[in-house]
Amino acid sequence: MSVSGSLALAAAASLASLGAPDPTAGGALLSAAESVDWWLVGDPADWWFVVRNADYLGGGLLLTVGLTVASILLGFLVGFPAGAVEVYGDGLSKRLVETAGVVLRGTPIVVILLVMYFVLGVPQVNLGVGSISPAISAGILGLGLRSAAYQSQIFRASLSSVDDGQLEAGRAVGLSRFEAIRYVVVPQALRRSIPGFQNEFTIVLKDTSIVFAIGLAELLTRGYDLFTEQTTAVLEVILFISAIYFVLTFTTNRALDYLGTRYAIPEGESA
């Protein structure tokens, strides 16, 4: 059973232990409500257990954020050229990019991670000041390529949304086709891709929980470790982790909302 599935089952058991109402007992709902302080969900002792282990969860948070940022960047570096090839390419290169995208989007992320780690055997990466373990390298590569397959469609749609007249106007003032795409089409396409990129960031952030399959202890896995140590704190651990995920997604989405508004194409300036 996956970590997320175990969390769900354990949460149900924890709620039951708090006095979840029995449908056959008419007054059980009132007694359950009275067993929990009005200002706090869960047991204070269990919350204190979570707070004492916040540094342990912090290690998982750093791994989650690191995997998300690295995977998004890799997805952009691969996905944007792939989207451009799908729009402006032809022949073998276009067919290869389209086929690779279909395969990556159609393969479960856990399978991609297992192939990267156990089949391909991604090596350790030395950065001079430190090194990246094979498991982390496989996680970044798997999540990044999967993200690239989806980002390519975001950028393909945004590039296609720029009117052909923009490209022709660039050619008319003496730019080559490549220069017209680079200086006229791409800036507009990047601005229009921000909403789709927002969704992709949230998806990648949540997909980092799957790296437990290759032995990485990210945020959700470390939460699982905590409530197996003290099973009465299941609800508190889940609420604490959920709050962290919410803060991450909320702040990032608000930042991208600001960028989308700040760099939006003024209406009427492009077709």
Side-chain angles (χ1 to χ4, degrees):
M1 181 179 295
S2 67
V3 172
S4 56
S6 300
L7 281 169
L9 292 175
S14 178
L15 286 171
S17 69
L18 287 175
D22 183 354
T24 61
L29 182 60
L30 179 60
S31 63
E34 292 173 348
S35 67
V36 181
D37 292 333
W38 67 271
W39 57 273
L40 182 66
V41 176
D43 186 86
D46 289 335
W47 277 114
W48 179 237
F49 168 77
V50 175
V51 172
R52 290 200 318 269
N53 290 279
D55 56 339
Y56 179 71
L57 292 175
L61 172 61
L62 290 177
L63 180 59
T64 294
V65 172
L67 284 172
T68 302
V69 173
S71 301
I72 283 289
L73 289 176
L74 176 59
F76 176 81
L77 293 175
V78 177
F80 187 82
V85 168
E86 289 196 45
V87 176
Y88 300 110
D90 54 16
L92 181 61
S93 61
K94 183 176 181 178
R95 290 196 296 272
L96 286 176
V97 168
E98 290 176 341
T99 302
V102 169
V103 171
L104 287 170
R105 289 190 297 273
T107 304
I109 183 60
V110 66
V111 174
I112 296 176
L113 292 172
L114 291 175
V115 168
M116 291 294 174
Y117 187 60
F118 293 108
V119 179
L120 298 182
V122 179
Q124 178 172 298
V125 178
N126 293 314
L127 302 176
V129 295
S131 61
I132 302 177
S133 70
I136 294 178
S137 299
I140 293 173
L141 192 58
L143 292 168
L145 291 179
R146 171 65 176 266
S147 178
Y150 282 100
Q151 288 192 50
S152 67
Q153 299 308 293
I154 295 172
F155 297 128
R156 179 191 61 78
S158 60
L159 288 167
S160 299
S161 70
V162 179
D163 190 86
D164 291 338
Q166 299 285 317
L167 183 59
E168 295 172 2
R171 297 299 302 277
V173 297
L175 298 178
S176 67
R177 187 168 186 268
F178 176 78
E179 289 174 334
I181 293 172
R182 178 181 177 184
Y183 296 112
V184 178
V185 178
V186 168
Q188 297 181 65
L190 287 176
R191 293 179 178 192
R192 294 180 177 184
S193 67
I194 291 177
F197 190 80
Q198 237 176 313
N199 294 332
E200 179 59 19
F201 177 89
T202 304
I203 292 171
V204 172
L205 174 63
K206 292 185 290 187
D207 279 350
T208 57
S209 63
I210 308 299
V211 298
F212 79 91
I214 55 176
L216 291 177
E218 40 64 60
L219 181 59
L220 189 63
T221 303
R222 293 198 177 205
Y224 175 80
D225 292 341
L226 282 187
F227 78 66
T228 54
E229 179 182 339
Q230 183 164 325
T231 55
T232 59
V234 176
L235 180 63
E236 292 79 4
V237 170
I238 291 176
L239 290 176
F240 190 79
I241 292 175
S242 299
I244 293 175
Y245 275 111
F246 173 79
V247 170
L248 289 174
T249 55
F250 181 82
T251 54
T252 305
N253 285 336
R254 294 295 76 77
L256 290 173
D257 279 340
Y258 171 78
L259 288 178
T261 303
R262 175 70 176 79
Y263 295 103
I265 300 175
E267 196 169 321
E269 289 195 9
S270 70

